[in-house]
Amino acid sequence: MVGNELRAFQRGLNPDYNEEYGLDEMVAAGKQSGSRLEYVFEGSYNGSIYSEYDSIWQDFDLLPLQDRSNIVTLGEGASELIEFEELSPLLNGAKLYVLMDSEKNPTGTFKDREASLIISRCKELGLDNLVFYSTGNTGRTYTHYAAHLGLTTYFFMPGKCHYKNTKHIKKNKNNYIIYVDDYYPQISPYAKRFAKENGLNAIAPLHDRTEPYATVAYELFRKLPKYDFFVQTIASGMGPIGYLRGHKNLVKFGLERPEDIPRIICIQSEEMSVMSRAYSSGRTTLTEDDLPKTFAEDLFEPTLNSTNPVKNYPELYKCLQESNGIITHVDPDYVKEKAQPLVDAFQNRGLTLRTDLELSNLIGFAGLIQLAEKGQFQKDQTIAMLSCGRGKDQSTELYEPDSWVSPRTDDPVELKQKLDAL
């Protein structure tokens, strides 16, 4: 054993209610208040890890799972940290390190960290017939992990992101992929309705989803104890939200000083910059009216369009405020002009970068160049970037969807019957 003695539980954030839940249920919100929940770890923590795991589960004591026998891991996390010395001149001399989730994780995206925890929670709670939604990468990795357990899943995603569904992931006959022929914000309510009306399990509450991204903070703290900026390309911002939670835990247990928490930098694609623009204008919340009503057919990176920005943005706002963070966006033409040095740096190291499937790394790096041109970085500073990129995925063959659906016209019960008939 590693000597940590911690208790984990779920706590409601509404101060007018005293809501606390154990780890023996997956709860989306406070049952009385309807408010958001967070995970709390109490006890003694000395920073020791479980070295037998080459994954996020090195930090088992700081993840909300009760029994290690329920861990579902495919080797996600515990990624290599690489310095890209040749890119430093483009960043005013600041050092750039990249945490290589794209190279280490089984589906090649940082979302595998999330899938490992969520599917482990489902195993521990005995949940099957799982319903979830995303713009591509999250749903793919949930499908992949659930398929390894033989669980039945229903994954809703935008049809225009179809090119993400390569046969690199595992998919059994009972892992359904449903393309949504509608604009993105309709995916979430329809998927939840589908689960409710068919008696299925809508999984992955927000606080569950952000928790595994705290492991990025833990890993970087061990590999690079002092750095100035953490950067990630974002859709909804759950990665940075979880990352900051990790640092707050390190501070809570006396391993880090609050003033040493790195500043968080979030980069968005200009076409998907609702959160960036809202933050720049001082907005603390978003509404449905703030979201675009139509989308171009040739979006630069469709998966960066969050399926639930209205719900996630307040937490991202707080995250950026607490970390003295930065959020910005870059134009696709600017990305094409500025990102080639990163592509070359990957190739020179023999690292894979599927730019036909995933442009997040290029967008993030171009965002750094843009900030450097504005004088943001200095020679004595250090930047850590999370590589989000699909490096492991070599497949060019796509899965066919099990169904197409229009949320405005298609009945969820009839859709389930159609899928059962398959």
Side-chain angles (χ1 to χ4, degrees):
M1 299 299 291
V2 297
N4 300 319
E5 295 183 4
L6 292 171
R7 178 179 83 97
F9 60 94
Q10 304 173 77
R11 181 173 62 195
L13 295 181
N14 188 327
D16 295 330
Y17 294 81
N18 183 24
E19 293 179 296
E20 181 177 313
Y21 308 95
L23 300 188
D24 54 351
E25 56 183 329
M26 189 176 286
V27 190
K31 294 179 182 179
Q32 286 78 44
S33 68
S35 72
R36 280 198 58 250
L37 303 173
E38 67 176 1
Y39 280 104
V40 179
F41 297 89
E42 290 184 344
S44 62
Y45 176 72
N46 59 25
S48 298
I49 64 171
Y50 293 79
S51 57
E52 61 265 40
Y53 297 114
D54 183 31
S55 68
I56 64 170
W57 297 101
Q58 292 179 341
D59 293 296
F60 170 79
D61 289 335
L62 288 176
L63 288 169
L65 196 72
Q66 299 178 83
D67 191 332
R68 284 201 286 160
S69 67
N70 292 316
I71 289 174
V72 181
T73 178
L74 300 174
E76 63 297 316
S79 300
E80 183 180 7
L81 185 67
I82 299 177
E83 183 179 2
F84 284 72
E85 301 91 342
E86 69 271 39
L87 300 179
S88 180
L90 300 174
L91 302 171
N92 302 337
K95 295 180 180 179
L96 177 65
Y97 289 84
V98 180
L99 190 64
M100 297 301 302
D101 270 19
S102 60
E103 196 75 8
K104 171 74 159 46
N105 288 359
T107 77
T109 80
F110 79 103
K111 299 290 189 178
D112 291 325
R113 293 175 184 262
E114 179 181 329
S116 181
L117 175 63
I118 295 297
I119 300 304
S120 295
R121 290 267 293 147
C122 289
K123 179 182 178 182
E124 186 160 85
L125 300 178
L127 299 180
D128 198 351
N129 296 301
L130 312 176
V131 179
F132 44 87
Y133 56 91
S134 83
T135 53
N137 290 338
T138 303
R140 288 179 74 257
T141 189
Y142 280 26
T143 299
H144 183 70
Y145 276 70
H148 278 81
L149 287 186
L151 302 180
T152 297
T153 59
Y154 303 86
F155 166 33
F156 292 82
M157 66 170 285
K160 65 177 56 183
C161 297
H162 70 280
Y163 66 96
K164 297 281 183 175
N165 274 332
T166 62
K167 290 192 175 180
H168 176 76
I169 67 165
K170 182 177 177 63
K171 177 186 179 301
N172 300 326
K173 290 182 179 180
N174 61 331
N175 300 124
Y176 302 103
I177 297 177
I178 302 110
Y179 287 173
V180 178
D181 186 17
D182 206 338
Y183 107 93
Y184 289 51
Q186 292 301 316
I187 295 174
S188 169
Y190 187 84
K192 293 174 181 177
R193 183 181 160 207
F194 175 84
K196 182 177 181 179
E197 294 188 14
N198 289 293
L200 309 175
N201 292 304
I203 62 167
L206 180 61
H207 66 299
D208 282 70
R209 298 185 65 184
T210 55
E211 210 63 35
Y213 298 128
T215 62
V216 174
Y218 306 145
E219 289 176 27
L220 283 171
F221 182 75
R222 291 192 288 267
K223 298 172 189 291
L224 193 68
K226 185 71 173 70
Y227 57 103
D228 301 284
F229 300 95
F230 170 76
V231 60
Q232 186 174 351
T233 309
I234 67 162
S236 66
M238 283 182 291
I241 294 167
Y243 168 84
L244 181 60
R245 278 193 50 74
H247 277 288
K248 291 168 81 170
N249 280 336
L250 292 172
V251 169
K252 176 179 180 178
F253 293 110
L255 300 178
E256 186 177 33
R257 301 183 307 170
E259 58 267 32
D260 290 334
I261 296 177
R263 296 180 67 187
I264 292 173
I265 300 177
C266 297
I267 313 293
Q268 291 201 288
S269 174
E270 192 275 337
E271 298 172 307
M272 309 299 181
S273 55
V274 173
M275 291 180 167
S276 173
R277 295 179 189 279
Y279 192 82
S280 298
S281 63
R283 298 278 303 277
T284 59
T285 60
L286 289 174
T287 69
E288 294 292 334
D289 291 337
D290 296 314
L291 307 181
K293 301 298 183 289
T294 59
F295 299 93
E297 288 299 320
D298 58 345
L299 288 172
F300 188 58
E301 177 50 84
T303 58
L304 291 181
N305 194 15
S306 171
T307 55
N308 207 349
V310 174
K311 182 178 180 180
N312 296 347
Y313 176 71
E315 280 303 302
L316 182 66
Y317 179 89
K318 288 168 53 180
C319 169
L320 291 168
Q321 287 284 300
E322 290 180 26
S323 69
N324 189 24
I326 301 167
I327 184 169
T328 189
H329 53 269
V330 287
D331 181 86
D333 289 336
Y334 185 87
V335 176
K336 295 171 188 175
E337 176 188 348
K338 299 294 186 179
Q340 190 59 42
L342 183 71
V343 176
D344 295 340
F346 269 62
Q347 290 178 344
N348 292 339
R349 289 168 173 77
L351 303 172
T352 308
L353 193 63
R354 285 290 298 275
T355 56
D356 59 326
L357 291 179
E358 184 70 52
L359 296 170
S360 294
N361 278 340
L362 306 191
I363 292 168
F365 181 69
L368 289 181
I369 297 294
Q370 181 173 274
L371 290 171
E373 290 176 345
K374 295 178 179 179
Q376 183 63 63
F377 308 121
Q378 301 174 7
K379 188 175 182 179
D380 62 345
Q381 293 182 316
T382 301
I383 303 165
M385 183 171 86
L386 181 63
S387 179
C388 308
R390 296 293 287 272
K392 283 283 190 99
D393 193 339
Q394 299 295 318
S395 176
T396 57
E397 192 174 358
L398 301 180
Y399 282 114
E400 290 294 323
D402 294 288
S403 184
W404 278 83
V405 64
S406 175
R408 290 189 175 96
T409 59
D410 291 339
D411 180 76
V413 174
E414 292 179 0
L415 173 61
K416 173 65 163 52
Q417 293 170 347
K418 177 181 176 182
L419 294 171
D420 289 343
L422 298 178

